[in-house]
Amino acid sequence: MARLLIKKGADTEVAMTANATRFITPLTFQALTGRPVSCRSFDSSDEDVMAHISLAARTEALVIVPATANIIAKMAMGIADDFLTTLCLAVTSPKIVCPAMNVRMFQNPVVQENLRRLQGFGAIVVMPGCGDLACGETGPGRLAELPEIIEAIKSALTVKSLAGKKVLVSAGPTREMIDPVRFISNRSTGKMGFAMAAEAHRRGARVFLVSGPVTTPRPMGVTVVEVTTAVEMRQAVLDLAQDADVVVKAAAVSDYAPAEQYAQKVKKGLDEETLRLIKNPDILAELGRHKGRRLLVGFAAETEDLLAHAREKMINKNLDLIVANDVSRPGAGFAVDTNIVKLLYPSGRIDDIPLKSKEEVARDIWDRIVELPAPRGPIQ
Ligand code: C5P
């Protein structure tokens, strides 16, 4: 966990209880974090006798991982009899508690009651998973997976600028079947749309994600609707867009689908074959025509004349914002974890977002979306 936090750029300091030092030496954490490890209150060797207060003041998130039944009980009751519990009382920033213990201990009503009490005080509890426990038993009690804990920390540190809003995101490619084994598609992996959905969730929105076939891991806390074709995507998006406040269409929808879909695998035949294609519905344009009070955000992936093409799409589809990315640039577009985009507004304003991770780009885009003026059209 400490290593992962450092890798993600978090300034990480470790505080340990006396019992924790029997499992891992403080020196291990000190070597890992490059910071002194706090264990005892009023340590005479420590120059800063008020270390728990100064550490509390610079703590932006306090993560108790793993949280034993003992520390949970102490935190729930406000007991402060060592460095860590004193720190817990002095920290005013978000506290994320990640229980890990024997299944029967975890299920004990007193532990459950203490966790509820902690939640009542505003702590975030990342529930343990089920599985094999250190004691040899099986059941709930296993420390939550680290990515889930990281997500809880990120969420706790995010201002809830979308609280009470419903957000719909589309992502990934569509697949247009030619026969049972072949299809037309594109290189979209859904990463940018998934990052948009994850960030909307962190900001407190109810998030629905309509995704084409991808292998990208699902964002946590988001309702995912899987679709294959553009026609299926249209149906799912139109249904979910009804009462949405913001629709973000990051999907790479196939413009065309085969005119005929063969029931059986097509056999090799002539030297030359022609595939007839028909145009797919333009989902975003359809939403733009019946815009109502929804904010509509589109994406434009281009390989040439980026700004001109993106502006044209923004106007034709009646969008409030379009995110233009030049997919021919290294570090941008399909199948990479980074992106370089320009945000175009109907007013003519253009914001440049330089090379960043898709997660950071998503944050920048949402920072802009939440500031957009609400469309004044009738509710559709
Ligand atoms: O495909 P195009 O470049 O026009 O995509 C621009 C925007 O329109 C994207 O936000 C995309 O998700 C959306 N779109 C759509 N339905 C289509 C094609 C594109 O909603 N059939």
Side-chain angles (χ1 to χ4, degrees):
M1 184 75 203
R3 191 176 286 129
L4 194 57
L5 283 167
I6 292 165
K7 201 166 140 199
K8 299 222 169 256
D11 212 341
T12 308
E13 285 189 50
V14 176
M16 301 174 82
T17 59
N19 281 337
T21 64
R22 295 162 71 157
F23 282 90
I24 307 179
T25 66
L27 202 59
T28 308
F29 281 119
Q30 193 173 328
L32 199 65
T33 60
R35 298 288 192 90
V37 173
S38 315
C39 300
R40 279 171 295 169
S41 316
F42 317 120
D43 192 333
S44 54
S45 67
D46 195 337
E47 286 164 17
D48 183 3
V49 286
M50 286 294 162
H52 60 291
I53 302 297
S54 51
L55 181 56
R58 60 177 189 272
T59 295
E60 286 168 276
L62 177 63
V63 194
I64 309 287
V65 54
T68 58
N70 186 47
I71 188 88
I72 290 167
K74 284 187 182 179
M75 285 176 80
M77 293 302 151
I79 293 171
D81 63 353
D82 64 1
F83 185 89
L84 181 59
T85 46
T86 318
L87 180 73
C88 286
L89 280 187
V91 162
T92 53
S93 49
K95 296 184 190 74
I96 296 115
V97 177
C98 312
M101 65 196 77
N102 166 273
V103 51
R104 277 168 294 116
M105 287 172 74
F106 179 69
Q107 287 172 338
N108 190 308
V110 74
V111 173
Q112 291 298 317
E113 179 62 33
N114 284 338
L115 285 172
R116 270 193 298 277
R117 210 173 136 81
L118 273 182
Q119 284 171 319
F121 290 130
I124 293 144
V125 176
V126 185
M127 283 301 175
C130 278
D132 294 336
L133 305 173
C135 51
E137 293 185 45
T138 306
R142 235 171 108 100
L143 182 69
E145 296 296 327
L146 299 191
E148 197 184 334
I149 300 173
I150 294 279
E151 187 55 37
I153 300 169
K154 283 184 191 164
S155 175
L157 292 173
T158 306
V159 178
K160 303 297 167 210
S161 53
L162 288 171
K165 303 283 184 202
K166 176 178 171 181
V167 167
L168 170 61
V169 179
S170 78
T174 63
R175 258 182 208 175
E176 313 299 334
M177 302 306 290
I178 299 168
D179 67 19
V181 298
R182 302 185 179 99
F183 53 79
I184 297 176
S185 193
N186 57 67
R187 294 175 51 212
S188 169
T189 56
K191 281 186 177 161
M192 193 61 237
F194 278 41
M196 288 297 289
E199 178 62 17
H201 175 67
R202 276 175 216 134
R203 290 177 184 236
R206 263 188 315 133
V207 185
F208 295 83
L209 174 60
V210 176
S211 175
V214 293
T215 53
T216 304
R218 288 173 168 216
M220 285 167 217
V222 166
T223 307
V224 181
V225 179
E226 289 177 0
V227 296
T228 305
T229 65
V231 169
E232 285 169 20
M233 183 171 277
R234 174 182 175 273
Q235 197 53 56
V237 166
L238 294 187
D239 286 350
L240 288 164
Q242 293 279 337
D243 56 345
D245 297 287
V246 187
V247 180
V248 176
K249 283 231 67 203
V253 186
S254 280
D255 292 329
Y256 291 89
E260 281 172 274
Q261 197 185 314
Y262 298 92
Q264 305 301 333
K265 185 181 165 195
V266 178
K267 290 288 167 207
K268 209 182 306 178
L270 304 174
D271 282 351
E272 223 174 274
E273 286 281 8
T274 305
L275 190 61
R276 206 163 60 84
L277 302 173
I278 49 167
K279 213 170 192 175
N280 266 331
D282 190 318
I283 309 163
L284 194 48
E286 203 169 330
L287 285 173
R289 282 194 293 276
H290 310 280
K291 194 158 183 232
R293 294 188 184 171
R294 290 180 289 249
L295 283 171
L296 292 185
V297 178
F299 275 69
E302 305 290 347
T303 55
E304 57 176 359
D305 285 341
L306 179 66
L307 290 180
H309 284 138
R311 185 171 297 116
E312 193 182 310
K313 281 176 193 172
M314 174 175 61
I315 292 161
N316 289 346
K317 301 185 193 216
N318 197 14
L319 308 181
D320 299 281
L321 187 71
I322 194 156
V323 184
N325 57 339
D326 183 344
V327 290
S328 64
R329 289 176 71 179
F334 297 127
V336 288
D337 289 323
T338 53
N339 215 349
I340 311 166
V341 304
K342 289 183 195 300
L343 303 185
L344 280 71
Y345 293 74
S347 66
R349 170 177 158 191
I350 299 177
D351 288 357
D352 264 302
I353 303 191
L355 181 74
K356 288 181 182 190
S357 70
K358 285 185 174 168
E359 186 176 321
E360 288 169 303
V361 172
R363 221 177 299 151
D364 286 357
I365 298 171
W366 277 114
D367 278 344
R368 267 59 169 211
I369 298 175
V370 296
E371 305 227 302
L372 288 172
R376 279 194 290 275
I379 297 171
Q380 300 271 334

